[in-house]
Amino acid sequence: MEQRHCVDRTPVSKVQAFATGALTDRDIDAAATKLLTRPAAVLSVAAAQRVAAVEAGLNADADVLELGRKHDEAHAVWRRAVEAYRGPDEQHTAFIEAAKARGGPTMAVIIEGEKIPGYKEGYKADEDAFGIVGDIGLEILKHRPTSVAGLAVLARALVPHVWPTGSFEKDAALAPDEDMDKEAVRHMVEACCAAAGVDWRGVPTGALSPLAGGHADPVFALMERHRQTYADWLPHEEATGNVTGGDPARERIFADAKEPGERERAAYDALLTARPSSLAGLAALAAYLPQAVINNGCDDADAEGVQALGSVCDAVLSLMPGSEAEPDAGAVLVGEILDAWGEWAKTCSDGSNSDDEEAWKRNSDIRDDLIDRAADLPATRENAAAKAIAQCWLEYVSLWERSRPRDSYGIDGRLCFDIHDAAQASVAGDTPAAVEAIPLPDVAAISLRELRGLYDIADLLHELCHALKCQPRCHDDRMGDTPAGAFAGQVLDQCVRLMGACEAEANRRKPATLSEADERLCILARAVIENGDPAQTAALARDLQASVA
């Protein structure tokens, strides 16, 4: 059966840093408990308000709940198709394997294998049914539920994508270490569904919600136990990872790690078998479990199972009253990259050659670390901005050329320069206010001879300001700009803009005389040669040949 991949959704965010201690307040459970486990009765004003809040959440989740109904129906159809196809698929696999053992299969054998009764029809029915339930699930995953029932719908929508061969029940019999990230996803899916009084198929269980409360939720003690056993085991895990094969202490190191490792694993297994009995416990588990899965070496943060776990855990946390979701890791990294870029730029001349080698090295190391962090983020919509800005920083370093104006670069270079300027502005809180920019001359209204004169003056001032900015008078002790340095930088930027405008105008002009052609080529030659663009260089060479022909 064709392998289907889990969609890329909300990544494991900083939910693991959620303050667990703030989730033990029984008031969090009251509204859901009243609605899910007790008949309508005389309620206090406060309790009635909580029930109204939960009912409002259900009303807001009307679209999600309707999608959930359609998903459960489509899921049932797909599971029946999976079971109907399983026999013919196994026969086909055995047929092909036998052909391989004989040195095949040949094309004739492959065609013959597809004639196995029920194989082609079963494959198509399976694929079609999965497409329907998968599309509904993807639509559900665009929503953020506001009720426990909506949360259960989102949890069920993950099942076909994480268990794409319909093996949710079959995998339940596997030992936890055979697929530990899926085991954690299963645990959260079942806990969310149980909170709404349904099973993973969406079928009502007839049992009271486990969120009735009234006693201490066991999940808190189990999390604390795992937190402590993991802390005890971590030094041993690091020691076994660092020991070499020829180390005489290797046997002792592994022996010392055995007992702490077994205690940690037992605590982790217990955590995956406990069912939260309160919304507070469910939220605390959602905050704790994603990082616990990663810490236990089950998979990386960008693994499909871990991302699916992060989706449902983030959805759980979004339901918690009085708690705000922490900023997404990608959004946080965007700010860190821009701040570091601005600091890095302070230690460079135009963003390249260092004026302070030590400071430049320090900021370059920070840059490399942030770019690595951006690369390690899962490839999701939420992380796209951080990845794009990290890529722009790399492009800026690669593309930058001394004395070359912004407008002479391609669109990729101009975007990089704009982000560079924005990053500098983000850390320039103590920079003197910008002087009013001198309006640029109307380059379209002057002759090519005048245009070249204007370009040469702007180029000369550009070089002069560039040299001035390297002088001590333009930098303070922290290598930031002094007022003199800021002024020189503003004039330099104005020159760069003017040179770019002159080059763009020269590119546009069609010389009427040989003299005008020479003036135009004098303006364009330096920028094109420094640019290194093959097409522009070839065009300049043709123009030069034509001018001397």
Side-chain angles (χ1 to χ4, degrees):
M1 183 180 297
E2 180 181 353
Q3 176 65 36
R4 310 178 185 91
H5 296 290
C6 174
V7 292
D8 200 358
R9 295 180 296 276
T10 306
V12 178
S13 68
K14 292 189 176 179
V15 291
Q16 59 268 19
F18 197 91
T20 304
L23 301 173
T24 57
D25 189 349
R26 289 297 171 207
D27 288 343
I28 294 176
D29 308 326
T33 299
K34 292 286 187 183
L35 186 65
L36 293 170
T37 63
R38 295 187 184 180
V42 179
L43 301 175
S44 67
V45 174
Q49 289 174 339
R50 295 189 185 102
V51 172
V54 174
E55 290 174 337
L58 290 171
N59 292 334
D61 271 353
D63 291 344
V64 174
L65 298 179
E66 175 60 19
L67 284 171
R69 182 189 64 77
K70 294 178 180 178
H71 179 273
D72 295 338
E73 292 176 353
H75 196 184
V77 171
W78 175 58
R79 293 197 309 272
R80 289 195 293 270
V82 168
E83 289 306 314
Y85 176 54
R86 197 180 303 279
D89 183 45
E90 290 174 353
Q91 292 179 43
H92 179 265
T93 300
F95 183 83
I96 296 298
E97 289 300 320
K100 288 180 180 179
R102 297 191 301 269
T106 63
M107 182 56 67
V109 169
I110 292 174
I111 294 173
E112 188 67 24
E114 291 181 351
K115 296 178 181 179
I116 291 175
Y119 174 72
K120 293 182 69 173
E121 300 86 345
Y123 178 83
K124 185 177 186 306
D126 179 5
E127 290 295 302
D128 291 346
F130 180 86
I132 294 172
V133 70
D135 287 348
I136 298 173
L138 292 177
E139 187 63 30
I140 291 171
L141 292 168
K142 296 177 183 178
H143 294 74
R144 182 60 73 206
T146 59
S147 66
V148 175
L151 174 65
V153 168
L154 183 143
R156 297 198 300 277
L158 291 173
V159 171
H161 293 287
V162 182
W163 286 270
T165 58
S167 57
F168 186 88
E169 289 180 310
K170 178 182 177 183
D171 284 356
L174 299 177
D177 59 352
E178 291 187 61
D179 208 335
M180 294 174 72
D181 54 349
K182 281 189 178 181
E183 197 67 20
V185 179
R186 172 192 302 282
H187 186 53
M188 288 304 301
V189 167
E190 292 177 338
C192 292
C193 290
V198 296
D199 65 12
W200 63 276
R201 303 175 184 84
V203 178
T205 60
L208 291 178
S209 164
L211 306 186
H215 54 83
D217 193 323
V219 79
F220 290 104
L222 290 171
M223 283 191 301
E224 183 57 36
R225 178 187 168 200
H226 179 258
R227 186 180 289 111
Q228 185 58 54
T229 56
Y230 179 76
D232 294 342
W233 173 68
L234 186 57
H236 296 280
E237 190 269 342
E238 293 174 348
T240 58
N242 293 329
V243 68
T244 61
D247 192 328
R250 185 175 187 276
E251 186 174 339
R252 176 185 56 78
I253 290 172
F254 274 88
D256 291 345
K258 182 179 179 182
E259 192 272 336
E262 290 175 347
R263 285 193 294 109
E264 188 277 334
R265 180 52 192 270
Y268 180 81
D269 290 346
L271 192 61
L272 287 187
T273 57
R275 185 60 54 80
S277 61
S278 65
L279 274 177
L282 181 61
L285 184 62
Y288 184 78
L289 195 54
Q291 190 60 46
V293 170
I294 295 172
N295 288 346
N296 274 265
C298 309
D299 236 323
D300 296 327
D302 57 352
E304 293 170 352
V306 177
Q307 290 184 44
L309 178 62
S311 294
V312 68
C313 288
D314 284 349
V316 169
L317 292 177
S318 72
L319 289 180
M320 293 300 101
S323 66
E324 297 182 0
E326 293 201 12
D328 182 75
V332 172
L333 192 55
V334 166
E336 291 185 49
I337 292 174
L338 289 174
D339 289 344
W341 192 338
E343 292 296 333
W344 172 83
K346 287 181 179 181
T347 61
C348 304
S349 298
D350 284 351
S352 183
N353 295 337
S354 171
D355 299 322
D356 180 340
E357 188 68 26
E358 183 178 345
W360 179 82
K361 179 66 167 62
R362 180 175 63 252
N363 287 324
S364 294
D365 289 343
I366 294 172
R367 176 197 65 197
D368 294 344
D369 177 66
L370 289 170
I371 290 173
D372 286 343
R373 285 172 54 191
D376 290 340
L377 286 174
T380 65
R381 187 185 186 93
E382 292 80 2
N383 295 331
K387 289 178 174 289
I389 293 175
Q391 174 65 18
C392 278
W393 199 350
L394 288 171
E395 287 291 321
Y396 176 83
V397 174
S398 173
L399 292 172
W400 179 87
E401 295 177 17
R402 184 179 298 277
S403 305
R404 182 179 172 188
R406 169 195 178 277
D407 291 341
S408 69
Y409 290 86
I411 185 65
D412 55 341
R414 298 199 296 274
L415 286 171
C416 291
F417 273 70
D418 290 344
I419 294 175
H420 173 76
D421 291 343
Q424 286 185 293
S426 70
V427 297
D430 56 352
T431 299
V435 296
E436 183 176 353
I438 303 171
L440 293 181
D442 184 2
V443 295
I446 61 180
S447 67
L448 273 168
R449 182 182 179 187
E450 292 170 325
L451 189 67
R452 179 187 172 185
L454 182 61
Y455 180 84
D456 288 344
I457 292 297
D459 190 16
L460 180 62
L461 285 173
H462 173 268
E463 293 294 335
L464 177 61
C465 290
H466 195 286
L468 289 172
K469 276 184 62 64
C470 295
Q471 295 184 354
R473 72 182 88 179
C474 289
H475 300 294
D476 58 25
D477 293 339
R478 296 179 299 164
M479 296 307 296
D481 282 341
T482 63
F487 176 74
Q490 289 159 0
V491 176
L492 187 149
D493 290 342
Q494 189 78 345
C495 290
V496 169
R497 290 177 56 214
L498 182 54
M499 292 168 66
C502 290
E503 289 167 1
E505 179 62 20
N507 243 328
R508 188 186 66 80
R509 291 286 184 96
K510 301 297 182 184
T513 66
L514 288 177
S515 176
E516 286 188 346
D518 289 344
E519 301 289 2
R520 175 178 177 272
L521 290 174
C522 287
I523 296 172
L524 295 177
R526 177 176 173 180
V528 171
I529 291 170
E530 291 182 348
N531 179 13
D533 182 270
Q536 292 184 21
T537 302
L540 177 65
R542 288 194 297 270
D543 289 343
L544 286 171
Q545 286 180 332
S547 70
V548 297

